[in-house]
Amino acid sequence: MQPKTFPLTKTQQGIWLADQVSEDKNIYTISHCIEIKGDINIDYLEQAIRTAISDADTVHAHYLENLQQSITTYTVATLPLKVEKLDFTQSKDGRKKAFALMQEDTNNDLPLKNNDNLTLQRQILICIQEEEKIIWLWYQRYHHIMLDGFSFTALTKRVADIYQALCSEQTFDSSFFISVSKVIEEEQAYQASKNYLNDKSFWSDYCAALPSPVSLTNKAVTNEKRSSNLLHSIAPISSDNLLKLNAFAQQKNTSTAELLMSLVVAYLYRFTGQSEQVIGMPFMRRLGSVAISSVAPMVNVLPMLITVDNNLTWPQLTKKFKQSLKTIRRHQHYSAEQIQRDLKKVTSSGLYNTLINYKQFDYELDFAGMKGITHHLATGPVDDFEFSIIVEADRTYFELRANDERYDQTTLEQHSHRLISMLENWLSAPETELAKLSILPTDEYQTVIAWGRGRELTPKNTNNILDIFWQQVAQKPHATALVCRNPDQQQETRLTFEELGRAINRLSHFLLNQSFTSKNAVIASAMPRSADTVIVMMSIFNIGATYLPLDLDYPKERMDMMCEDTQPVLLLSHSSVQLSLNIPTILIDDITFIEELKQQSEQPLTKTDRPTPSGNDIAYVIFTSGSTGRPKGVMNTHGAMLNLLLSHQESIYKPAQQIVKERYPNRALRAAHTHSFSFDSSWLQIFWLIQGEELYIFDEETRRDAYAIVEEVHDIQIDAMDLPPSLLAQLLNNGLMNPTSRLSQHQPSLILIGGEACPTALWQQLKSFPLLTAHNLYGPTEYTVDTLRADLAQHDRPVIGRPISNTQTYVLDTYLQPVPIGVVGELYISGAGLAQGYLARAELSATRFIANPFSNTESRMYRTGDLVRWSQTGHIEFVGRGDDQVKIRGYRVEIGEVENALSLLDGVESAIVIAEAANNSHRLLAYCAAPSISFDKQSSFGQTLLSELRSSLPDYMVPSAIHVMTAFPRNVSGKVDKKALPKIDAKTSSSLFIESRK
């Protein structure tokens, strides 16, 4: 009989078009293996296969280039189908060989072309033997354009029924399935009806209001590639839980399927934090249609919007799920492919990412008394993630499938375990509000708590950091302790440990003799960078007073507010500093004072002179920016400072000291002090001096000039530095680690970075220097400089690591529950480094320093406001500030991800991205430091960067404009001063990339 040509169904059209544009030509392969334990009649089974397939027209059709299918009517005798037979009974690993063969065939390309050497279907009967028993494996492979899940099962069931009829010598109807032409006629009638127009209007309005779909993956995905190499995980529901589930469904007058599907929605909400979930929901489009008797693929996956909130119980969420499903069910005949065309979207990933599939097909196959067990080998592509709820006669379970371009097997297994844990917890208390429901399995909960616990460390015979310093004075009195240089004026001040100790003692005795000086009294310091700055600071510590640094760059208004909160009893300053603060002041270069100081004792203070500073005594007050515009004074203790130093000794200081000792056996380690003394990270540099090494104070002009810093580092042969990442990037571009053109070939041995998020490009650059040790340090001022540490050598991408000693970190949701691994939450910190709070701001302290629910003691924890997540290796990744997460055209965007993408582009030293409110949304404005780009080429370079970003980021993440600069402005702490960045006018292209001249 001559073949007849018919158009493809709407579902087939979508498959055909997607297959044409896909790089992988096997993503639409679907294959199963039916395992039959027993010696079947192989001839009958072959006849049953040929009979069923001869009746399934889309299975033996030819698919043409013009969206047509050519169908020939075959009999069993004329069907051009070969059923292959293989005998592996003599092989000890017959099963392994059989499944390897099937998997290899499944993985082969299966392009939609008329190729005589490669058919779109394959049938193999494989015989194996296990424990002297015969087992038959029936492998069937098709292209998805022929069948969907429903018709695949129907066809398999049809083969089993025919086989049983042949074995029992019963007659059967040779014509069981209807022709696809009937389905096409019904589709064409629908497209000419009012229902079609109504559905089109509905979906146009419905999709216009849809938010962007969210994904469960943390991987940045820039393409929408579907994958045939799917990851797979099974989450079985125990018989006991299934009994409870069925009873609860009956009690609430709902179905088990609806409860389970709403559970998945709840999981998605808890995992992503998105209240509006858009989920792909498959509809068979067969009930009430002629398609119920056709093998043609008909499944239609449509986007469903459901709004979830924290207060919903399981029954309430199930009711909302049913309502949401009902809303779209009446419009299910309008094809998803047509919706995509209407919206001008290439793939379904623009409509949804996660799919929920409920499958209640007849998996029980009876081959004349022998049970057929189905093994799924390939069930078609998954754009992102699919939750399937599989109901069989004797079990119900979740099947999770995921795109291996976006997920890994470990992550998939974790989702499986959490889903079951969530099910069990909700079954035990179904009226629990969603936000209060625990979703972490016990083992994962214990894991993240353990990861967040730093090692325990107990100080031995040490009360404060000065105890360690005085040990150095006693052990190496004549060794160099402190060097202050001014290269332009060719001046240098050099003090030994003995000289420094004597100076500290003289000033300490003088201060104790003042009537207004007492323990814990606040003494302010406003000093130019010099040896006296260090002497003043350490003397204040030495007498048990509280140190208040006033940076000379601070506006007077800010200093006034700081002094108003702290009420300092004394200001130590210098005649070169012009301040008009209403505080008793001593100028340390005053002749009278110098003479009086000479008369003071150089002997160390004793307990008779003053109680030893320790524990909870406040060592210093550092002010940070406040959201109200008024700075906040953070009270840090001597105990917290000691904990910081001792923790870093084992992980940072001692290893670096050993490295330098091996490289330079005849000298001490040399550390640079480049931070402002009002920046708490400067303590990491002071600690080198405390531990007996040489500390070099860079003068004010030098520390602000990247080239001058590099010159000094090479000239002095500096070994250890602590820098903000943006400044470090400048130093590297000025030859910090490549001194080949200089007289000195010196390179630093240790670089600590912190204060800002480290871009991926800088991270990789630091790792490329084989002799350099680098650590990334994270910590708010409220936790005494550092909380977390990461050794760059151990990580391929930026992380902020794990907690330092005696420190506990928690990644929590808004209800203070630990979030799963990989989920973004807010970072909370507790432990020995915690500040006492904000000075004179009790109400603010109470909102940020809260009770620690994870401790048996009455400890507190600090709410950082930083968004982070646990990596699979148990290290914390910094995502951004809580207020740095914005939505652009409905898409959720993390500013840090865009900054990272920019930093990886050639020529970019550092990048900053700012979200600017615009039209009820946001637009991104980017700044790039590119010192190698001349001023006249900055505009074209900015355009090049935008073009490159479009190839690596989704369009909604590409900044509206890029401003290219030679260098970023910096504040007194050395960090980028975002307030000083020039304004970008995104309305006119002529001003997008013009750098303000300095």
Side-chain angles (χ1 to χ4, degrees):
M1 184 177 291
Q2 290 297 318
K4 295 182 179 180
T5 301
F6 301 97
L8 299 177
T9 67
K10 290 296 182 181
T11 298
Q12 287 178 313
Q13 287 181 28
I15 294 172
W16 191 91
L17 292 170
D19 184 88
Q20 300 307 302
V21 299
S22 173
E23 296 177 7
D24 295 333
K25 294 304 179 183
N26 64 345
I27 63 169
Y28 283 102
T29 298
I30 54 177
S31 61
H32 290 179
C33 169
I34 308 300
E35 180 176 346
I36 308 168
K37 294 184 178 181
D39 197 3
I40 62 173
N41 187 318
I42 192 66
D43 294 331
Y44 281 173
L45 182 55
E46 179 180 0
Q47 184 180 348
I49 293 171
R50 293 179 60 84
T51 301
I53 290 181
S54 67
D55 189 33
D57 53 3
T58 57
V59 173
H60 52 69
H62 286 272
Y63 294 92
L64 311 177
E65 298 289 334
N66 57 352
L67 298 180
Q68 301 282 312
Q69 52 190 324
S70 175
I71 295 177
T72 302
T73 301
Y74 292 108
T75 65
V76 176
T78 61
L79 179 70
L81 170 67
K82 177 183 179 182
V83 179
E84 303 171 59
K85 304 180 187 69
L86 300 174
D87 186 353
F88 289 172
T89 56
Q90 301 304 310
S91 175
K92 292 182 180 180
D93 54 353
R95 177 181 291 271
K96 182 178 179 180
K97 286 178 60 177
F99 275 92
L101 181 151
M102 291 184 273
Q103 196 61 58
E104 180 182 9
D105 180 73
T106 296
N107 294 341
N108 287 336
D109 285 353
L110 196 64
L112 269 177
K113 293 182 178 179
N114 291 318
N115 188 328
D116 293 337
N117 298 320
L118 181 64
T119 61
L120 295 181
Q121 65 158 308
R122 190 174 185 186
Q123 307 286 333
I124 310 177
L125 297 174
I126 307 172
C127 187
I128 64 174
Q129 186 170 343
E130 293 178 345
E131 298 178 352
E132 299 183 354
K133 294 181 180 179
I134 294 296
I135 297 174
W136 283 92
L137 302 175
W138 168 29
Y139 170 67
Q140 6 174 18
R141 181 261 289 155
Y142 307 95
H143 194 286
H144 207 344
I145 201 169
M146 301 170 164
L147 302 165
D148 59 17
F150 176 89
S151 55
F152 198 146
T153 302
L155 181 61
T156 305
K157 178 75 163 51
R158 173 66 174 158
V159 171
D161 290 345
I162 295 173
Y163 176 83
Q164 185 155 308
L166 290 170
C167 289
S168 60
E169 298 183 351
Q170 296 177 354
T171 60
F172 56 88
D173 188 353
S174 60
S175 181
F176 183 80
F177 300 114
I178 68 164
S179 170
V180 69
S181 62
K182 300 294 184 182
V183 176
I184 295 168
E185 289 174 7
E186 189 174 74
E187 279 192 348
Q188 292 171 342
Y190 164 68
Q191 292 171 30
S193 70
K194 291 183 179 180
N195 288 339
Y196 178 83
L197 296 177
N198 290 338
D199 291 345
K200 180 182 179 71
S201 175
F202 167 82
W203 285 110
S204 176
D205 295 339
Y206 189 83
C207 292
L210 290 181
S212 60
V214 295
S215 175
L216 296 176
T217 187
N218 290 327
K219 294 182 179 180
V221 179
T222 57
N223 59 50
E224 297 179 341
K225 180 181 178 181
R226 292 179 169 182
S227 174
S228 60
N229 299 320
L230 298 178
L231 302 172
H232 176 270
S233 176
I234 295 295
I237 300 174
S238 69
S239 56
D240 183 51
N241 283 335
L242 190 56
L243 286 174
K244 293 178 183 178
L245 191 62
N246 292 335
F248 183 61
Q250 187 173 10
Q251 175 190 342
K252 294 298 180 181
N253 195 28
T254 188
S255 69
T256 299
E258 289 163 339
L259 283 173
L260 291 175
M261 287 190 284
S262 64
L263 178 78
V264 173
V265 173
Y267 179 76
L268 293 171
Y269 168 70
R270 285 295 303 275
F271 196 88
T272 64
Q274 295 292 99
S275 58
E276 291 186 319
Q277 292 287 333
V278 183
I279 300 161
M281 295 299 298
F283 290 88
M284 290 192 303
R285 289 193 296 185
R286 293 181 187 272
L287 297 177
S289 165
V290 296
I292 194 68
S293 300
S294 171
V295 294
M298 295 298 296
V299 68
N300 193 28
V301 184
L302 298 170
M304 183 189 78
L305 173 65
I306 179 169
T307 302
V308 188
D309 65 65
N310 283 330
N311 302 320
L312 290 176
T313 64
W314 197 0
Q316 290 170 339
L317 180 57
T318 302
K319 183 178 180 180
K320 291 199 72 170
F321 179 86
K322 292 162 70 173
Q323 291 171 341
S324 299
L325 195 59
K326 182 179 179 181
T327 298
I328 65 171
R329 180 181 284 119
R330 65 192 67 172
H331 304 284
Q332 64 175 287
H333 291 288
Y334 198 80
S335 73
E337 291 75 23
Q338 188 59 50
I339 293 175
Q340 294 163 32
R341 285 191 283 272
D342 293 344
L343 298 176
K344 297 180 172 58
K345 292 183 181 291
V346 178
T347 72
S348 60
S349 60
L351 297 175
Y352 58 84
N353 277 328
T354 304
L355 185 147
I356 301 177
N357 201 354
Y358 178 72
K359 300 177 181 179
Q360 192 176 17
F361 300 146
D362 191 348
Y363 282 94
E364 298 301 312
L365 300 171
D366 185 1
F367 290 85
M370 288 177 286
K371 182 179 179 180
I373 302 171
T374 302
H375 300 280
H376 303 288
L377 302 177
T379 53
V382 172
D383 288 329
D384 186 83
F385 203 103
E386 178 181 319
F387 291 90
S388 291
I389 299 161
I390 312 294
V391 178
E392 298 178 358
D394 57 351
R395 64 172 184 158
T396 299
Y397 57 93
F398 292 103
E399 179 188 47
L400 279 59
R401 299 195 304 149
N403 186 328
D404 70 345
E405 296 279 335
R406 305 183 182 195
Y407 299 89
D408 56 59
Q409 190 63 38
T410 299
T411 301
L412 198 63
E413 298 295 341
Q414 289 170 342
H415 286 306
S416 292
H417 295 155
R418 294 184 200 120
L419 202 57
I420 296 301
S421 178
M422 191 174 185
L423 170 65
E424 292 173 345
N425 291 336
W426 231 350
L427 275 175
S428 64
E431 299 302 326
T432 302
E433 293 178 355
L434 176 54
K436 298 177 182 178
L437 185 70
S438 174
I439 69 172
L440 283 187
T442 301
D443 58 347
E444 186 174 0
Y445 178 91
Q446 293 172 343
T447 295
V448 296
I449 293 297
W451 283 346
R453 190 180 299 122
R455 69 187 179 97
E456 294 184 2
L457 177 67
T458 303
K460 296 179 180 179
N461 303 319
T462 309
N463 293 303
N464 55 60
I465 61 171
L466 285 185
D467 287 349
I468 300 174
F469 169 74
W470 292 119
Q471 292 172 12
Q472 311 307 321
V473 174
Q475 294 170 6
K476 49 175 71 172
H478 305 300
T480 299
L482 183 64
V483 181
C484 297
R485 288 166 55 97
N486 189 322
D488 291 342
Q489 299 179 15
Q490 296 184 340
Q491 294 178 348
E492 180 179 278
T493 301
R494 185 178 290 264
L495 297 176
T496 65
F497 279 95
E498 183 178 61
E499 291 168 338
L500 179 59
R502 289 177 178 176
I504 293 170
N505 285 332
R506 285 194 297 268
L507 182 56
S508 297
H509 281 289
F510 172 84
L511 292 174
L512 283 176
N513 290 333
Q514 309 306 306
S515 60
F516 47 74
T517 303
S518 61
K519 183 180 180 182
N520 293 328
V522 176
I523 298 179
S525 171
M527 304 279 295
R529 295 176 68 82
S530 65
D532 287 332
T533 311
V534 178
I535 294 169
V536 165
M537 175 181 63
M538 296 179 73
S539 298
I540 294 171
F541 284 165
N542 198 33
I543 67 171
T546 299
Y547 172 62
L548 172 65
L550 298 176
D551 196 286
L552 303 184
D553 283 341
Y554 286 162
K556 182 179 183 302
E557 181 182 3
R558 181 181 178 89
M559 289 192 189
D560 286 338
M561 286 190 288
M562 293 167 64
C563 293
E564 181 182 342
D565 283 350
T566 56
Q567 295 294 305
V569 298
L570 178 67
L571 170 65
L572 295 172
S573 190
H574 189 274
S575 61
S576 63
V577 177
Q578 302 299 315
L579 294 176
S580 56
L581 300 175
N582 188 24
I583 307 171
T585 302
I586 293 177
L587 303 180
I588 62 167
D589 60 335
D590 179 80
I591 301 271
T592 303
F593 170 73
I594 293 173
E595 290 301 319
E596 187 173 355
L597 199 60
K598 290 179 180 178
Q599 307 305 314
Q600 303 299 317
S601 170
E602 294 181 346
Q603 295 302 308
L605 298 182
T606 66
K607 292 182 179 179
T608 304
D609 297 316
R610 53 91 178 97
T612 302
S614 61
N616 291 326
D617 290 337
I618 300 172
Y620 65 89
V621 177
I622 291 283
F623 278 78
T624 64
S625 298
S627 58
T628 63
R630 186 180 183 88
K632 303 170 294 187
V634 182
M635 299 180 288
N636 297 94
T637 67
H638 282 283
M641 291 183 66
L642 180 61
N643 185 75
L644 176 68
L645 189 154
L646 295 180
S647 178
H648 283 342
Q649 267 190 343
E650 297 303 320
S651 56
I652 296 175
Y653 292 119
K654 286 184 177 180
Q657 288 171 319
Q658 183 61 35
I659 289 173
V660 172
K661 183 177 180 180
E662 293 173 357
R663 292 180 185 171
Y664 311 104
N666 298 319
R667 67 169 177 84
L669 180 147
R670 296 169 181 169
H673 191 293
T674 55
H675 287 314
S676 163
F677 281 91
S678 65
F679 185 36
D680 60 350
S681 284
S682 67
W683 283 113
L684 300 183
Q685 303 168 341
I686 296 290
F687 283 170
W688 290 112
L689 180 150
I690 297 290
Q691 296 173 99
E693 307 297 345
E694 296 179 8
L695 181 65
Y696 288 76
I697 307 292
F698 284 28
D699 72 279
E700 198 66 48
E701 294 299 319
T702 300
R703 82 178 189 91
R704 296 173 184 267
D705 186 325
Y707 181 80
I709 291 175
V710 172
E711 289 286 308
E712 281 287 87
V713 168
H714 292 151
D715 186 31
I716 299 169
Q717 296 193 351
I718 292 293
D719 303 303
M721 305 183 75
D722 178 62
L723 301 159
S726 55
L727 177 57
L728 174 57
Q730 285 186 284
L731 301 187
L732 292 173
N733 281 335
N734 278 277
L736 178 67
M737 301 300 293
N738 302 291
T740 53
S741 62
R742 307 173 190 274
L743 295 177
S744 169
Q745 301 299 306
H746 180 78
Q747 292 181 336
S749 298
L750 172 72
I751 292 180
L752 307 179
I753 56 175
E756 300 168 336
C758 180
T760 302
L762 178 61
W763 188 279
Q764 295 171 349
Q765 187 178 8
L766 290 174
K767 283 172 61 68
S768 69
F769 302 117
L771 299 181
L772 176 67
T773 299
H775 296 268
N776 188 26
L777 300 171
Y778 163 91
T781 301
E782 289 81 353
Y783 199 81
T784 315
V785 189
D786 293 331
T787 305
L788 301 159
R789 179 191 64 85
D791 183 347
L792 270 66
Q794 298 176 8
H795 306 277
D796 293 330
R797 59 177 183 170
V799 297
I800 53 178
R802 284 198 180 171
I804 66 172
S805 299
N806 300 325
T807 299
Q808 300 83 48
T809 55
Y810 310 96
V811 184
L812 308 177
D813 62 19
T814 54
Y815 282 76
L816 302 185
Q817 298 177 104
V819 299
I821 297 167
V823 174
V824 174
E826 186 172 353
L827 179 62
Y828 289 75
I829 307 167
S830 183
L834 196 64
Q836 286 196 355
Y838 300 118
L839 182 63
R841 307 284 289 278
E843 185 175 342
L844 180 60
S845 295
T847 63
R848 304 300 293 188
F849 295 85
I850 63 176
N852 183 357
F854 305 96
S855 173
N856 295 325
T857 63
E858 295 183 0
S859 65
R860 300 168 302 142
M861 61 182 186
Y862 172 67
R863 179 184 180 184
T864 66
D866 287 335
L867 300 179
V868 300
R869 61 179 168 234
W870 285 110
S871 72
Q872 290 291 345
T873 59
H875 295 84
I876 292 179
E877 299 175 345
F878 182 80
V879 176
R881 287 289 300 169
D883 49 9
D884 276 351
Q885 191 181 88
V886 297
K887 279 195 172 183
I888 298 175
R889 304 205 307 269
Y891 291 86
R892 186 176 63 179
V893 175
E894 301 288 356
I895 298 297
E897 185 178 348
V898 184
E899 290 176 339
N900 252 335
L902 261 173
S903 74
L904 289 170
L905 301 181
D906 289 341
V908 176
E909 179 184 84
S910 301
I912 293 172
V913 176
I914 294 173
E916 181 180 77
N919 300 323
N920 297 318
S921 181
H922 290 84
R923 64 181 174 187
L924 300 182
L925 303 176
Y927 297 83
C928 289
S932 62
I933 305 301
S934 61
F935 179 80
D936 60 320
K937 294 182 179 179
Q938 287 176 349
S939 178
S940 60
F941 183 65
Q943 297 286 7
T944 300
L945 294 178
L946 282 174
S947 177
E948 292 180 6
L949 280 180
R950 292 188 183 102
S951 66
S952 62
L953 290 176
D955 62 341
Y956 60 86
M957 294 180 69
V958 176
S960 300
I962 294 181
H963 185 109
V964 178
M965 310 173 68
T966 301
F968 289 147
R970 300 190 178 280
N971 58 26
V972 296
S973 299
K975 299 179 183 179
V976 175
D977 187 353
K978 293 185 179 181
K979 294 180 180 179
L981 290 170
K983 183 174 177 57
I984 295 179
D985 181 4
K987 296 180 181 178
T988 58
S989 60
S990 61
S991 62
L992 292 187
F993 313 107
I994 300 177
E995 179 194 0
S996 55
R997 295 185 182 274
K998 299 178 181 177

